[in-house]
Amino acid sequence: MAFDFSKFDKMVDKEGLQEDIHKASENNIEYKEVPTGTYEVKIEKMELVETGENAKNPGMPMVSIWFKILEGEYKGSLIFYNKVIMGTSNDGFMIHSNNEFLRSLDSGIDVEFESYSQYAKLLLDIHEAIDGQLEYALEYGENKQGFKTYEITEVYEVE
């Protein structure tokens, strides 16, 4: 069975992607798995996305946050926070847990869930409020069940 991947060609700047590939080959960029630990980070991206086709429940809303490490051996590496907030047996707890995390970012924005469309906008508003303004000490860990954990332990104002 042959798949038609041409739809992806329309979604990207192919020349820009070729340039990125060339830069990566020149710089001999090698992906390193970021171990658990505490890192100074900034938030690169924050949005509500849909889970992929291979997810347990595809097409469900998921909070996606990209943390970029600012210092140390893993400087420039990304830590990914992906939390599904619908389609689980504990949706209310997942939304509450995300709300608590979002409040820890100290954005000055009131964090409440009213609807999924409102929540999508809320995430964008929080990112806009903190982008270039705040950085964080992120404690990146793993619980007994093997799930990744994320805790903001300090908030820094960008000078």
Side-chain angles (χ1 to χ4, degrees), residues 122-140:
L122 174 69
L123 291 171
L124 296 175
D125 290 346
I126 291 171
H127 188 249
E128 185 176 318
I130 63 174
D131 191 32
Q133 304 298 313
L134 299 175
E135 295 173 349
Y136 304 94
L138 173 70
E139 190 173 306
Y140 175 56

Side-chain angles (χ1 to χ4, degrees), residues 5-98:
F5 290 98
S6 64
K7 70 178 182 180
F8 297 106
D9 295 334
K10 298 171 188 162
M11 298 169 65
V12 299
D13 168 13
K14 290 183 288 250
E15 287 179 19
L17 183 56
Q18 287 298 326
E19 186 177 315
D20 291 345
I21 293 168
H22 181 72
K23 283 180 187 174
S25 68
E26 284 181 343
N27 296 325
N28 197 21
I29 294 174
E30 187 176 314
Y31 175 75
K32 287 194 251 181
E33 183 75 29
V34 176
T36 57
T38 301
Y39 299 95
E40 186 175 334
V41 299
K42 72 175 188 171
I43 294 180
E44 282 282 298
K45 191 176 195 179
M46 177 186 299
E47 61 187 344
L48 192 62
V49 299
E50 291 184 20
T51 57
E53 290 180 15
N54 294 330
K56 181 178 176 183
N57 293 313
M60 293 292 112
M62 176 175 73
V63 174
S64 175
I65 303 173
W66 295 10
F67 301 97
K68 185 172 189 174
I69 298 174
L70 300 173
E71 302 289 332
E73 178 182 352
Y74 295 94
K75 181 178 179 177
S77 294
L78 296 173
I79 296 173
F80 300 100
Y81 173 108
N82 294 307
K83 301 282 182 161
V84 177
I85 60 171
M86 181 181 190
T88 70
S89 60
N90 55 355
D91 293 348
F93 174 78
M94 294 305 293
I95 292 170
H96 167 74
S97 175
N98 277 292

Side-chain angles (χ1 to χ4, degrees), residues 90-130:
N90 55 355
D91 293 348
F93 174 78
M94 294 305 293
I95 292 170
H96 167 74
S97 175
N98 277 292
N99 286 350
E100 290 300 308
F101 183 80
L102 294 173
R103 289 179 186 120
S104 75
L105 298 177
D106 204 20
S107 68
I109 294 177
D110 188 31
V111 176
E112 295 297 330
F113 177 90
E114 296 167 13
S115 69
Y116 291 99
S117 56
Q118 169 268 338
Y119 210 64
K121 184 177 179 331
L122 174 69
L123 291 171
L124 296 175
D125 290 346
I126 291 171
H127 188 249
E128 185 176 318
I130 63 174

